[in-house]
Amino acid sequence: MSIDPETARQIEELSRDNRPLLVLDVDDVLVEFIRPFPDYLKSKGHELRLESFRLHGNVYDTASGEPAERETVSGLLDGFFADQEAWQTLTQGAAEALASFGEAAEIVLLTAMPHRHRDTRRRLLDSLGVRYPLLTTEAPKGPAIHALRGTSGRPVAFVDDLPPNLVSVREHVGDAHLFHLMSDNALRNLMPPLDDGIHTVDDWPDAAPRIARALGI
Ligand SMILES: [Mg+2]
């Protein structure tokens, strides 16, 4: 699997940096997703019944009680991201954790979201006081983080709530330190055990010192 060409272009715009690299997912790592999304769905006549760890198949039309079609769920998700500034807020402890890293690491945000929402997400993050560079990708994250690291062999840490993203990074950056953080830990009950080498963190206060140690900062 190769890098999304638009993501590669976005990486080219960044200044070359040799500090330890910390890459963060956005939804349910830096900002809340799974808590506000059901409220958004309700405003659109739908509801989320999380019986498994996925959105498709778990969204229902409130009036009919029928499960929503795949295209309907995709459309609702797209609508939520278009309107994210009205719904999403920072995950608890994220701001303090980021502040604790200071300038010791290069921090980059990598969100798996259609590129057309990048400007909206940038505005959301700016409004929340989060100024780090934001990359969007429509392809697996591993190749993007491999490119971001550059050739210096600097330490890399990556935080995401979706195991497939962590596995993708492990495949492309074998020595990356991988952390699984979920803004809503109740969802862990719906997931299979994590693969070896992926570290579970309870929340940002738990994650911050472990990330700092991994990066040597
Ligand atoms: Mg996420």
Side-chain angles (χ1 to χ4, degrees), residues 25-29 141 160-162 165:
D25 175 42
V26 178
D27 288 297
D28 277 337
V29 167
K141 292 187 174 183
D160 206 298
D161 64 307
L162 296 182
N165 293 336

Side-chain angles (χ1 to χ4, degrees), residues 1 23-30 33 53 81 109-113 121 135-146 156-174 176-182 191 194-199:
M1 192 67 73
V23 183
L24 305 176
D25 175 42
V26 178
D27 288 297
D28 277 337
V29 167
L30 205 47
F33 170 80
F53 189 65
F81 286 136
L109 313 180
L110 178 61
T111 193
M113 165 179 284
R121 175 129 285 181
L135 310 176
T136 48
T137 187
E138 298 179 9
K141 292 187 174 183
I145 295 184
H146 178 79
V156 177
F158 173 56
V159 187
D160 206 298
D161 64 307
L162 296 182
N165 293 336
L166 294 157
V167 168
S168 169
V169 173
R170 189 178 59 185
E171 284 169 4
H172 289 85
V173 185
H177 301 275
L178 304 173
F179 297 92
H180 185 241
L181 185 149
M182 308 190 86
M191 303 174 63
L194 293 170
D195 285 12
D196 288 347
I198 298 175
H199 305 290

Side-chain angles (χ1 to χ4, degrees), residues 11-19 106 147-148 150-151 154:
I11 291 172
E12 283 298 309
E13 290 180 342
L14 299 181
S15 56
R16 303 255 174 252
D17 195 319
N18 284 328
R19 289 175 292 173
E106 182 189 14
L148 260 176
T151 55
R154 57 184 170 154

Side-chain angles (χ1 to χ4, degrees), residues 43-119:
S43 78
K44 301 293 179 190
H46 286 76
E47 61 186 282
L48 184 65
R49 300 181 208 155
L50 269 185
E51 282 145 10
S52 56
F53 189 65
R54 57 205 292 270
L55 295 177
H56 289 283
N58 285 328
V59 175
Y60 291 80
D61 183 302
T62 306
S64 71
E66 294 294 318
E69 300 285 342
R70 192 170 184 86
E71 307 80 66
T72 304
V73 175
S74 296
L76 288 162
L77 195 57
D78 203 59
F80 178 78
F81 286 136
D83 202 22
Q84 59 186 279
E85 290 165 276
W87 295 94
Q88 295 192 274
T89 55
L90 277 179
T91 304
Q92 191 157 23
E96 295 80 358
L98 291 172
S100 76
F101 301 132
E103 300 292 318
E106 182 189 14
I107 299 175
V108 178
L109 313 180
L110 178 61
T111 193
M113 165 179 284
H115 301 301
R116 65 179 177 280
H117 293 308
R118 190 185 186 202
D119 291 347

